[in-house]
Amino acid sequence: MNKSIRKAAVIGSGIMGSGIAAHLANVGIPCLLLDMVPRQLTEEETAKGLTLENPAVRNRLAASAIAKLAKTNQAPLYDNAFADRIKPGNLEDHLSQLAEVDWIIEVVVENLDVKKGLLQKIESVWKPGTIVSSNTSGISIHAMAAECGDEFKKHFMGTHFFNPPRYMKLLEIIPGEHTDPELVTYMKGFCEKVLGKGVVLAKDTPNFIGNRIGTYGLLVTLKEMTENGYTVEEVDAVTGPAMGRPKSATFRTLDLVGLDTFVHVADNVYNHVSDEHEQSIFTVPLVMKSMVEKGWLGEKSGQGFYLKKKGAGGSEILALDLTTMEYVPQKKPKSTSLEAAKLAKGAKEKTKALLGARDRYSDLAWNILKQVLIYSAEKVGEISDSIQEIDDAMKWGFSWELGPFETWDAIGLKRSVERMEAEGLSVPAWVKDWIAAGHTSFYKNEEGKLYSIHIGSSEYKEVEFAPEIIHLRSLKEQNRVIKGNSGASLIDLGDDVTCLEFHSPNNAIGEDILSMITQSLEEVRRNYKGMVIANQGRNFCVGANIMLLLMEAQDEEWDEINDIIHLFQNTMYKVKRFEKPVVAAPHRMCLGGGVEACMPADQVVASAETYYGLVEVGVGLIPAGGGCKEFALRSSQQANVEGVDLQPFINHVFQTVGTATVSSSGYDAKKLGYLRPTDRIVANQDFAIYEAKQSVLGLANTDYKPIPEEKIRVAGAEGKAVLQLGAIEMKRGGYISDHDLLIAKKLAHVLAGGDVPAGSLVTEQYMLDLEREAFLSLCGEPKTQQRMHHMLTKGKALRN
């Protein structure tokens, strides 16, 4: 299909509408944001002498929504400057402009009649070929477009973004009865590659996939709770990480979503299904209706199932006692099953451990889980023909670590079905037929390929992935590991490109990873075109191995620490000077040593959701794996190119590193200087390794030359004095401690190039030596050791 989306329009500027517009702007698509024309002036508008005919008044709803984007807590924009890509307007004056866009998304109130009326308005100015979609969370796509023309219906579908649109991976695409299948295929690819979404194709049924299963699970949980006398905090202890679910579990999730929103979603199923048993499950409990009537809607109203109360000793979070409807102090549940789940590693083992202990909380977990699994199986064929689509929807939309069918495999398909039937439950016939055919799981892995049940058959079918998705685990299962140790592996990506994968605990960089980097460079030198540095852990890298450094510092093994830092610096230097291309592909948290592992690469291909930062001052240190040196070099290069004073560039770096600033996105990392203008950002993290591989091939297939060494122009003693004066003023103002000041002075000394005259040219090795000396001296400071210990034990920075 010869189609391209270059410009879009969003109708409805509420939280979802403005959030979708923001995400379109994030990926470079200019967007028109339209809303209704206000019928009354605000006090401020009246004071300014404006009238209802003034454009600023008529566009107020959309304009104010755009202005709020920069102030929203979970930032909808990768960079606030991207708000300029969104143009405000209104449905009366700017409706005709819909003919100028390639994709129109309606995001108005969840009311069928309102949506039908809006679609007819859109059709009146619609340019044939333009894609139109509804962001409904559950209203029928067919019913919405029932009165529209046939050609319009071919181009109409549901696109259900989950909130917040920037951060939630799931996007459900719902074709209508007449939607062009080629257009559906195009939109799936576009939303995956350009918007960075995980797309599932849902059938046009009430609440589609995610909200159908998710709402059912929450209502079943409420039913079990009230019938068996569990408390709010007990339910959340069981239905959170212990079951491979988010920390927000059940009731914190409801508070975040909003109880009124949840009731609306549940009612939508109740009103549109004919099965009496299913209707009974989707009947909202009286206690929840009562809470909505009282205005206890959750976080947006200040109270829901939890209430944050300020007292003399600070803030306390109270839980609602559903028997008395009063808020009470939380009691932390303890049991054998919860402890077993806590100690287990990974969602599969946690769930098995939780169910295996057979105590009160284990019973709660089982009674919820068995119903959700059976309901998910019952809905196969109705909401989706694919168990993988259902699993993906729950993982991407509700942050479950395992989807329902993956969970069923984890706890033992045959054994769990026998238990369900022994307890009087009716398991769908197709599940029993699958087991009878000799299968013990819905999924299986063979030679690095994933297979799942083929509904309506007794055979498995291979699960197909987009060609841009590379699974390192699958490659390892295909015996594509070239070499490896406890900390890292070198994997053959094909086309003579390798991937160096970190897999130490938290991907923290230690001697094992550094050794594997050196070995990998030798292997690539002999046999390959280049190398990608990437992994598919939860985070790319949280830094260097602090525990090892602390132990050596406490034992006063200064030579050992010197050798460790020297090894780190030399290894990164080898990467930078390597004669074949190296491309790094960081994602999510990339901190400290993780940043320093990326900085020497020829190019960085970062996920848009990369939170990048040199955070060593948080543990009382400064970057010493080449981070300071690289920043000084980049500042020197930029000042030389622009022919301007070096000091402002060094001041910026000093502030960024000295305050341990972490980027809020890959684009913010560029703004902060962690990423270079030539570095790339991809919206879909799943495509990052593929894109990095393409970059390696692109570089290798040209006349590639390694990055040449060059002298660094430094700010010297004068620049150092400027930096240190700023830190002293911060100390005088009470913003930093004495130890913060000591660290800042050391950092200033390194970034400025020491005590040489301003404008001196120094070598990279000279800068590395300054880094290492400062790092070693700080390791000997008791307050630095206290900070390191606090980070290891508490997981957060200590201010001392």
Side-chain angles (χ1 to χ4, degrees):
M1 170 169 284
N2 186 19
K3 188 75 189 168
S4 179
I5 295 175
R6 296 174 300 274
K7 189 176 180 182
V10 174
I11 302 176
S13 65
I15 291 172
M16 277 304 293
S18 61
I20 291 169
H23 195 58
L24 291 167
N26 281 337
V27 299
I29 297 174
C31 185
L32 181 64
L33 182 63
L34 304 182
D35 211 315
M36 296 183 296
V37 174
R39 299 304 174 207
Q40 283 187 309
L41 294 171
T42 64
E43 289 183 12
E44 188 179 358
E45 288 167 343
T46 302
K48 288 181 178 177
L50 301 179
T51 69
L52 288 172
E53 298 307 310
N54 190 283
V57 175
R58 295 176 71 80
N59 297 340
R60 184 217 306 151
L61 294 179
S64 62
I66 296 168
K68 283 178 188 172
L69 293 174
K71 301 167 189 171
T72 303
N73 229 347
Q74 273 189 304
L77 293 163
Y78 292 148
D79 185 322
N80 285 339
F82 293 172
D84 291 344
R85 297 171 179 170
I86 309 172
K87 181 183 174 185
N90 67 75
L91 279 167
E92 293 179 17
D93 302 330
H94 306 107
L95 187 69
S96 62
Q97 291 185 20
L98 296 180
E100 301 168 14
V101 306
D102 307 298
W103 181 17
I104 302 165
I105 312 169
E106 75 79 9
V107 199
V108 298
V109 63
E110 285 286 270
N111 178 289
L112 178 58
D113 290 336
V114 172
K115 288 181 182 289
K116 284 175 73 173
L118 178 59
L119 288 183
Q120 288 167 21
K121 272 189 177 181
I122 292 170
E123 190 176 19
S124 71
V125 296
W126 179 68
K127 179 183 68 180
T130 302
I131 301 162
V132 182
S133 69
S134 169
N135 184 61
T136 178
S137 59
I139 295 177
S140 168
I141 301 303
H142 173 72
M144 249 187 266
E147 295 169 24
C148 295
D150 291 345
E151 191 63 25
F152 186 89
K153 287 177 183 174
K154 285 182 186 178
H155 293 80
F156 179 64
M157 67 186 76
T159 49
H160 179 210
F161 289 79
F162 272 57
N163 190 34
R166 168 184 164 181
Y167 299 96
M168 294 303 293
K169 185 172 181 177
L170 180 61
L171 172 61
E172 293 176 320
I173 289 183
I174 310 99
E177 289 182 22
H178 305 286
T179 311
D180 182 348
E182 283 190 33
L183 196 61
V184 174
T185 301
Y186 167 78
M187 285 299 289
K188 184 176 188 295
F190 173 84
C191 293
E192 286 173 341
K193 185 162 189 180
V194 179
L195 300 187
K197 295 299 170 190
V199 177
V200 299
L201 298 181
K203 295 193 176 184
D204 191 7
T205 56
N207 288 12
F208 314 128
I209 300 176
N211 280 342
R212 185 74 168 268
I213 303 294
T215 305
Y216 178 89
L218 285 164
L219 287 167
V220 161
T221 303
L222 277 163
K223 185 171 179 287
E224 286 298 317
M225 173 192 183
T226 52
E227 288 181 358
N228 295 294
Y230 292 97
T231 65
V232 164
E233 56 267 45
E234 284 178 322
V235 171
D236 274 359
V238 171
T239 59
M243 284 178 71
R245 309 279 173 84
K247 286 182 181 178
S248 56
T250 297
F251 294 111
R252 290 188 193 281
T253 297
L254 281 168
D255 278 356
L256 286 166
V257 168
L259 273 66
D260 53 339
T261 302
F262 176 79
V263 168
H264 173 81
V265 172
D267 284 346
N268 189 56
V269 179
Y270 179 88
N271 293 327
H272 291 92
V273 295
S274 54
D275 181 80
E276 288 184 9
H277 174 69
E278 190 169 6
Q279 269 193 332
S280 70
I281 292 293
F282 280 91
T283 302
V284 177
L286 289 174
V287 65
M288 190 175 282
K289 288 185 176 179
S290 171
M291 290 173 69
V292 172
E293 286 170 9
K294 290 173 184 282
W296 297 0
L297 306 180
E299 209 166 80
K300 59 186 169 186
S301 68
Q303 66 187 102
F305 286 100
Y306 290 97
L307 170 67
K308 190 173 185 179
K309 189 176 182 181
K310 290 184 179 178
S315 294
E316 180 185 12
I317 297 176
L318 305 176
L320 184 64
D321 183 335
L322 296 188
T323 58
T324 64
M325 295 304 285
E326 293 181 355
Y327 291 95
V328 296
Q330 293 185 65
K331 293 177 184 175
K332 189 173 182 180
K334 291 182 180 179
S335 77
T336 304
S337 62
L338 290 174
E339 190 59 30
K342 186 178 179 181
L343 294 173
K345 300 291 184 186
K348 290 182 181 180
E349 295 306 316
K350 283 181 181 295
T351 306
K352 283 160 64 176
L354 179 65
L355 296 178
R358 296 294 184 99
D359 59 20
R360 172 175 161 78
Y361 298 127
S362 179
D363 288 346
L364 174 62
W366 170 249
N367 288 335
I368 294 168
L369 195 57
K370 66 184 181 184
Q371 296 181 75
V372 172
L373 298 184
I374 289 174
Y375 186 74
S376 299
E378 288 173 346
K379 295 300 122 186
V380 172
E382 180 184 336
I383 61 175
S384 173
D385 292 328
S386 162
I387 67 163
Q388 187 196 356
E389 300 262 29
I390 294 173
D391 279 346
D392 285 344
M394 300 317 297
K395 289 188 292 185
W396 296 339
F398 286 78
S399 300
W400 292 10
E401 289 187 50
L402 300 172
F405 297 98
E406 291 171 325
T407 301
W408 218 332
D409 281 356
I411 65 175
L413 176 58
K414 189 170 183 290
R415 186 172 64 252
S416 61
V417 166
E418 288 171 354
R419 184 178 172 186
M420 289 170 184
E421 293 192 311
E423 294 174 5
L425 276 75
S426 177
V427 177
W430 72 264
V431 175
K432 293 194 285 185
D433 290 344
W434 181 250
I435 295 170
H439 301 298
T440 57
S441 64
F442 292 115
Y443 295 94
K444 70 172 182 177
N445 276 288
E446 276 186 6
E447 298 178 350
K449 293 183 178 179
L450 180 65
Y451 297 84
S452 72
I453 178 174
H454 189 174
I455 303 297
S457 160
S458 60
E459 300 298 321
Y460 285 102
K461 66 171 182 177
E462 185 178 346
V463 176
E464 295 182 4
F465 296 98
E468 296 91 351
I469 296 177
I470 294 174
H471 289 116
L472 295 181
R473 181 184 294 179
S474 295
L475 294 180
K476 291 198 277 191
E477 289 169 356
Q478 294 170 36
N479 298 315
R480 301 271 285 273
V481 176
I482 302 161
K483 55 177 55 189
N485 61 22
S486 60
S489 296
L490 186 67
I491 303 167
D492 185 352
L493 293 179
D495 299 317
D496 292 328
V497 179
T498 64
C499 177
L500 178 69
E501 176 203 31
F502 299 166
H503 48 65
S504 64
N506 293 319
N507 292 338
I509 297 176
E511 290 186 60
D512 47 2
I513 288 179
L514 296 173
S515 170
M516 188 48 57
I517 292 174
T518 298
Q519 292 178 53
S520 297
L521 293 176
E522 288 300 320
E523 182 69 30
V524 172
R525 177 177 287 117
R526 291 192 299 268
N527 299 311
Y528 295 89
K529 290 181 177 179
M531 182 170 76
V532 172
I533 300 175
N535 65 71
Q536 291 173 327
R538 178 171 173 76
N539 295 304
F540 177 78
C541 178
V542 297
N545 189 333
I546 301 173
M547 183 176 288
L548 175 63
L549 288 169
L550 177 59
M551 288 168 60
E552 299 289 9
Q554 289 175 334
D555 292 340
E556 299 186 0
E557 296 286 356
W558 311 122
D559 287 342
E560 287 291 327
I561 295 176
N562 184 67
D563 289 345
I564 291 168
I565 301 307
H566 208 268
L567 175 63
F568 196 166
Q569 292 180 338
N570 286 348
T571 304
M572 295 305 106
Y573 188 83
K574 287 177 188 174
V575 172
K576 186 166 186 179
R577 299 286 172 256
F578 190 53
E579 61 265 34
K580 294 186 177 182
V582 176
V583 175
H587 65 277
R588 292 189 61 81
M589 300 304 294
C590 179
L591 306 175
V595 174
E596 291 175 308
C598 295
M599 279 181 141
D602 294 284
Q603 188 176 56
V604 175
V605 177
S607 160
E609 299 298 346
T610 300
Y611 314 123
Y612 219 66
L614 291 171
V615 295
E616 285 82 353
V617 297
V619 288
L621 297 167
I622 68 160
C628 291
K629 178 264 292 182
E630 282 296 315
F631 255 141
L633 174 59
R634 292 178 187 184
S635 298
S636 171
Q637 290 170 333
Q638 199 170 351
N640 289 344
V641 167
E642 297 179 19
V644 294
D645 183 20
L646 175 63
Q647 190 68 48
F649 297 101
I650 293 296
N651 291 349
H652 173 73
V653 171
F654 182 66
Q655 182 176 0
T656 300
V657 179
T659 56
T661 301
V662 176
S663 74
S664 59
S665 69
Y667 291 94
D668 190 40
K670 274 198 173 186
K671 231 167 129 178
L672 292 168
Y674 287 123
L675 296 179
R676 299 158 293 195
T678 53
D679 292 329
R680 294 173 53 209
I681 295 166
V682 294
N684 195 327
Q685 183 180 311
D686 294 340
F687 292 6
I689 294 178
Y690 171 86
E691 293 295 340
K693 176 185 171 183
Q694 299 312 116
S695 289
V696 168
L697 290 170
L699 290 166
N701 293 334
T702 59
D703 186 20
Y704 176 78
K705 295 286 190 300
I707 299 171
E709 182 162 357
E710 63 180 282
K711 293 287 183 72
I712 302 170
R713 182 159 66 92
V714 294
E718 292 177 20
K720 170 183 166 181
V722 172
L723 299 179
Q724 290 188 345
L725 182 61
I728 290 167
E729 289 302 315
M730 291 284 286
K731 172 66 180 66
R732 283 178 181 160
Y735 297 106
I736 62 174
S737 67
D738 287 334
H739 194 52
D740 290 328
L741 179 59
L742 174 66
I743 299 163
K745 286 182 174 179
K746 299 276 187 185
L747 179 63
H749 179 75
V750 175
L751 290 175
D755 294 319
V756 297
S760 295
L761 295 175
V762 301
T763 64
E764 290 189 39
Q765 188 58 55
Y766 169 84
M767 294 297 292
L768 291 172
D769 291 342
L770 288 182
E771 279 187 359
R772 195 169 65 257
E773 289 164 11
F775 189 94
L776 274 167
S777 68
L778 286 168
C779 280
E781 293 288 335
K783 288 190 175 182
T784 284
Q785 293 177 22
Q786 288 170 15
R787 289 189 179 193
M788 294 165 78
H789 182 265
H790 194 270
M791 179 61 74
L792 288 167
T793 55
K794 305 291 185 184
K796 54 186 179 182
L798 170 70
R799 295 301 302 277
N800 59 353

